[in-house]
Amino acid sequence: MSIISKKICLIGDFGVGKTSLIRRFVEGQFSDQYLSTVGVKISRKLVNVTDNLSPDKQQLQMIIWDIEGSNRFKAIAPSYFQGAKGAVIIGDMTVKDTLDHLLGHIQSFLAVSPKSNIVIALNKSDLIENEYLESLRQFYKFSEIEPVIATYITSAKTGENVGEIFETLAQKLI
Ligand code: GDP
Ligand code: MG
């Protein structure tokens, strides 16, 4: 069994839930307490992936980068994206501005890492009426942008689709 490592960036406006999604995925926890990320935090998580070309089970070590950079005032430094093979780009379903900024984040990331894959996470679904979820997903799907491989409705609070965003990305990186 072989293990490969890939860098993944979490990108999105201040407060959309980047740190919370990582905590949910890596530690299986959620906290309502607001703890803004200072500097860069790097988390690691091993995920199982299937490789069609070999019968062996493979594992991928995801090196997940989280920054404070996406705060209200500061643009993300392009150097943060360097070497990334994938990104989760996140919007807060309850704050329209953060959804309208998704396209800009996609473009900034692809400018540095054009061959990378992207998964979109429309987060905080637990705060939105069920009937609106799918139409929001359709509207902010970005399926015309080839590197965008999937768009999920997520909740770091309930855990909805949190495993899926990272596993879909991991599967594509093999
Ligand atoms: P970041 O700035 O993007 O890292 O955002 P945080 O992860 O720090 O989250 C900002 C705030 O939103 C915190 O108070 C979190 O508890 C809250 N939050 C994050 N994800 C969710 C979610 O899925 N549902 C709800 N209800 N709150 C969330
Ligand atoms: Mg954070």
Side-chain angles (χ1 to χ4, degrees):
M1 188 156 82
S2 59
I3 296 177
I4 30 183
S5 297
K6 304 277 181 183
K7 173 178 171 180
I8 309 295
C9 289
L10 265 75
I11 306 167
D13 288 2
F14 185 74
V16 296
K18 298 180 293 297
T19 304
S20 300
L21 286 169
I22 295 171
R23 283 199 76 196
R24 167 61 70 192
F25 180 59
V26 176
E27 297 163 26
Q29 288 181 16
F30 177 80
S31 160
D32 270 313
Q33 272 181 346
Y34 202 87
L35 214 173
S36 79
T37 319
V38 176
V40 177
K41 185 170 182 226
I42 297 174
S43 311
R44 292 178 172 75
K45 171 109 173 172
L46 266 182
V47 293
N48 294 317
V49 283
T50 50
D51 180 352
N52 295 331
L53 299 175
S54 88
D56 294 351
K57 254 217 177 138
Q58 276 214 0
Q59 288 193 307
L60 180 80
Q61 167 104 263
M62 302 186 90
I63 315 284
I64 305 169
W65 285 49
D66 180 23
I67 42 160
E68 177 207 42
S70 351
N71 71 30
R72 256 185 264 278
F73 316 105
K74 215 166 53 185
I76 305 170
S79 57
Y80 170 70
F81 302 144
Q82 229 120 55
K85 295 292 181 273
V88 180
I89 301 187
I90 303 152
D92 177 342
M93 296 189 100
T94 68
V95 184
K96 186 173 183 295
D97 267 2
T98 70
L99 301 173
D100 292 333
H101 294 160
L102 287 169
L103 181 59
H105 290 304
I106 294 171
Q107 289 166 339
S108 313
F109 178 67
L110 289 177
V112 178
S113 293
K115 296 219 171 78
S116 289
N117 292 289
I118 294 170
V119 171
I120 305 290
L122 306 176
N123 193 40
K124 308 198 188 181
S125 64
D126 58 287
L127 300 175
I128 299 281
E129 298 276 352
N130 275 335
E131 55 181 307
Y132 300 122
L133 293 175
E134 183 55 23
S135 50
L136 276 167
R137 198 181 75 85
Q138 290 300 327
F139 195 81
Y140 292 101
K141 216 161 117 179
F142 304 102
S143 47
E144 71 285 2
I145 302 174
E146 209 197 312
V148 175
I149 54 171
T151 302
Y152 287 105
I153 287 157
T154 64
S155 169
K157 187 164 186 171
T158 68
E160 182 189 16
N161 283 334
V162 176
E164 283 78 355
I165 53 178
F166 290 100
E167 280 148 21
T168 300
L169 202 49
Q171 190 61 46
K172 195 78 182 180
L173 298 184
I174 280 297

